[in-house]
């Protein structure tokens, strides 16, 4: 089954063709990073306009690179939430039009379900049930994946996401946008214990909070600037990364203990962070868990992950018609 998948939930326009949920025939991404770097973050109206400019040609390119014609498309899939509402609407309306024109089923896909499904593309042997640590610029949560379309959130951030924490601190430090990779690069060789930063403790002990960490780091940077004191920037970045890791990994290990799951995956852009990947690997070895870490190319937003999850949504009977709308917030 060949699925043409469209994704535009934030600042990347993406189109892909995926066969039977596991084989990527093509994956094309049009990045807007250079445009938004000027502003230090995503400007939603600009993102939406750029999606409009790119989406049709990108879908044609995905078909060409896949080596199939429009007639060989069996279904059209699209991210319909969560994300920036204006950006989402571009892909949703394009996908609705494409499905109607081709006379093919339209499959709506939750963005975070797509991130989890990215692991199916990298690891053909992976099947539910398993736990997934979903960590991105907009979301941070621990998800129990009981089946391909049966998922339950066990713990989630109460405020900022881990990726947003990295982005905002990077911006204050004058690092390029998006801040995840620059912070990762800067932290290499730094002392993660040099700057004591807070770790949240919540009543629901699998939930997380990153706003206090972000505020503490920003205040530390501003106070040093006001006093004319130099900061050890690699150690500051390493200390921030250690604090984020300490929020995520012990809770994930506890979730595995409570559920009895023995397989863990990671998903989302923050899963590309080298320290967090290494700490996850070490924790899984210690707790005798099997870990699947997606390759860096599948950590960020892409259409292939949407095409993968769409296949399983299709098998479960999920369909949409021309009334499909986009949603900024949506339960997984």
């Amino acid at each position: 089954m060949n699925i043409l998948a469209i994704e535009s939930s934030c600042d990347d326009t993406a189109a892909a063709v995926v066969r039977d949920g596991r084989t990527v025939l093509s994956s094309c991404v049009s990045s807007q990073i250079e445009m938004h770097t000027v502003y230090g973050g995503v400007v939603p109206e600009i993102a939406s306009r750029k999606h409009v400019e790119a989406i049709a040609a990108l879908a044609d390119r995905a078909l060409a690179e896949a080596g199939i014609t429009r007639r060989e498309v069996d279904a059209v899939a699209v991210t319909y939430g969560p994300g920036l509402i204006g950006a989402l609407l571009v892909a949703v309306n394009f996908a609705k039009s494409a499905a109607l024109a081709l006379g093919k089923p339209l499959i709506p896909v939750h963005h975070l379900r797509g991130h989890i499904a990215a692991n199916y593309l990298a690891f053909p042997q992976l099947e539910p049930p398993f736990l997934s640590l979903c960590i991105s610029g907009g979301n941070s949560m621990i998800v129990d994946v009981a089946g391909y379309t049966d998922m339950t959130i066990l713990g989630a951030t109460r405020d900022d996401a881990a990726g947003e924490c990295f982005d905002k601190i990077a911006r204050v430090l004058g690092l390029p946008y998006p801040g995840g990779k620059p912070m990762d690069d800067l932290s290499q060789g730094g002392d993660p214990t040099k700057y004591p930063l807070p770790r949240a403790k919540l009543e629901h002990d699998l939930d997380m909070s990153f706003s206090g960490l972000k505020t503490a780091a920003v205040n530390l940077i501003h106070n040093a600037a006001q006093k004319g004191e130099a900061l050890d920037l690699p150690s500051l970045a390493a200390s921030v990364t250690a604090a984020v890791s300490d929020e995520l990994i012990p809770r994930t290990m506890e979730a595995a203990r409570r559920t009895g799951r023995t397989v863990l995956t990671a998903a989302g852009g923050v899963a590309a962070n080298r320290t967090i990947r290494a700490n996850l690997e070490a924790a899984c070895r210690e707790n005798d868990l099997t870990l699947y870490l997606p390759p860096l190319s599948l950590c960020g937003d892409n259409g292939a992950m949407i095409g993968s999850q769409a296949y399983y949504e299709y098998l479960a009977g999920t369909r949409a018609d021309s009334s499909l709308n986009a949603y900024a917030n949506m339960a997984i």
Side-chain angles (χ1 to χ4, degrees):
M1 181 179 188
N2 297 326
I3 298 178
L4 171 63
I6 309 296
E7 149 71 28
S8 71
S9 61
C10 191
D11 59 338
D12 285 333
T13 317
V17 178
V18 178
R19 179 169 291 163
D20 297 337
R22 297 279 178 162
T23 303
V24 180
L25 301 185
S26 66
S27 183
C28 305
V29 179
S30 177
S31 175
Q32 301 178 11
I33 287 178
E34 185 176 347
M35 176 72 63
H36 297 290
T37 296
V38 177
Y39 304 97
V42 178
V43 180
E45 177 63 20
I46 293 176
S48 301
R49 290 176 181 271
K50 289 298 176 182
H51 287 316
V52 171
E53 293 174 8
I55 197 164
L58 202 66
D60 283 340
R61 181 178 145 201
L63 292 176
E65 291 189 7
I68 68 170
T69 66
R70 295 180 184 183
R71 290 183 179 181
E72 294 173 286
V73 172
D74 297 304
V76 178
V78 65
T79 302
Y80 74 123
L84 300 177
I85 190 64
L88 286 165
L89 282 168
V90 176
V92 167
N93 285 306
F94 178 84
K96 288 195 292 186
S97 301
L100 180 63
L102 296 172
K104 302 298 182 181
L106 176 64
I107 309 170
V109 177
H110 190 288
H111 182 71
L112 294 179
R113 288 190 177 204
H115 271 303
I116 292 170
N119 286 282
Y120 302 141
L121 301 173
F123 308 106
Q125 71 275 28
L126 176 63
E127 295 180 348
F130 56 82
L131 289 185
S132 187
L133 176 59
C134 298
I135 39 179
S136 65
N139 299 274
S140 295
M141 59 182 66
I142 304 165
V143 180
D144 183 27
V145 184
Y148 287 108
T149 60
D150 180 9
M151 304 179 197
T152 303
I153 296 174
L154 303 179
T157 181
R158 297 285 187 89
D159 39 59
D160 298 339
E164 181 183 354
C165 182
F166 281 127
D167 283 343
K168 295 297 174 60
I169 295 171
R171 182 176 181 177
V172 174
L173 288 174
L175 298 176
Y177 169 84
K181 188 177 187 307
M183 285 286 286
D184 188 8
D185 292 341
L186 181 61
S187 70
Q188 302 305 305
D191 177 3
T193 65
K194 183 165 185 176
Y195 295 101
L197 293 169
R199 276 74 163 161
K201 293 183 179 179
L202 304 174
E203 182 178 351
H204 187 314
D205 60 352
L206 293 184
D207 278 354
M208 301 157 256
S209 171
F210 296 99
S211 64
L213 169 60
K214 181 182 71 175
T215 299
V218 169
N219 285 343
L220 190 156
I221 297 164
H222 285 162
N223 288 339
Q226 290 166 0
K227 296 175 182 178
E229 297 174 353
L231 290 171
D232 178 353
L233 296 185
S235 293
L236 176 58
S239 298
V240 170
T241 304
V244 171
S245 181
D246 286 347
E247 288 274 338
L248 297 171
I249 296 175
R251 287 172 168 85
T252 304
M253 295 302 108
E254 176 61 17
R257 186 191 67 79
R258 293 182 188 180
T259 59
R261 301 297 190 209
T262 59
V263 176
L264 173 68
T265 72
V270 180
N273 181 280
R274 282 171 282 182
T275 298
I276 291 174
R277 290 172 79 92
N279 290 347
L280 267 176
E281 289 174 335
C284 286
R285 283 195 301 270
E286 183 178 337
N287 290 275
D288 198 24
L289 301 178
T290 300
L291 174 65
Y292 292 99
L293 285 173
L296 301 188
S297 61
L298 290 173
C299 289
D301 292 349
N302 62 87
M305 68 184 196
I306 302 303
S308 177
Q309 181 60 27
Y311 177 71
Y312 299 103
E313 299 288 347
Y314 179 85
L315 294 180
T318 303
R319 307 285 191 280
D321 56 25
S322 59
S323 67
L324 180 67
N325 203 353
Y327 300 90
N329 296 296
M330 181 191 305
I332 198 169

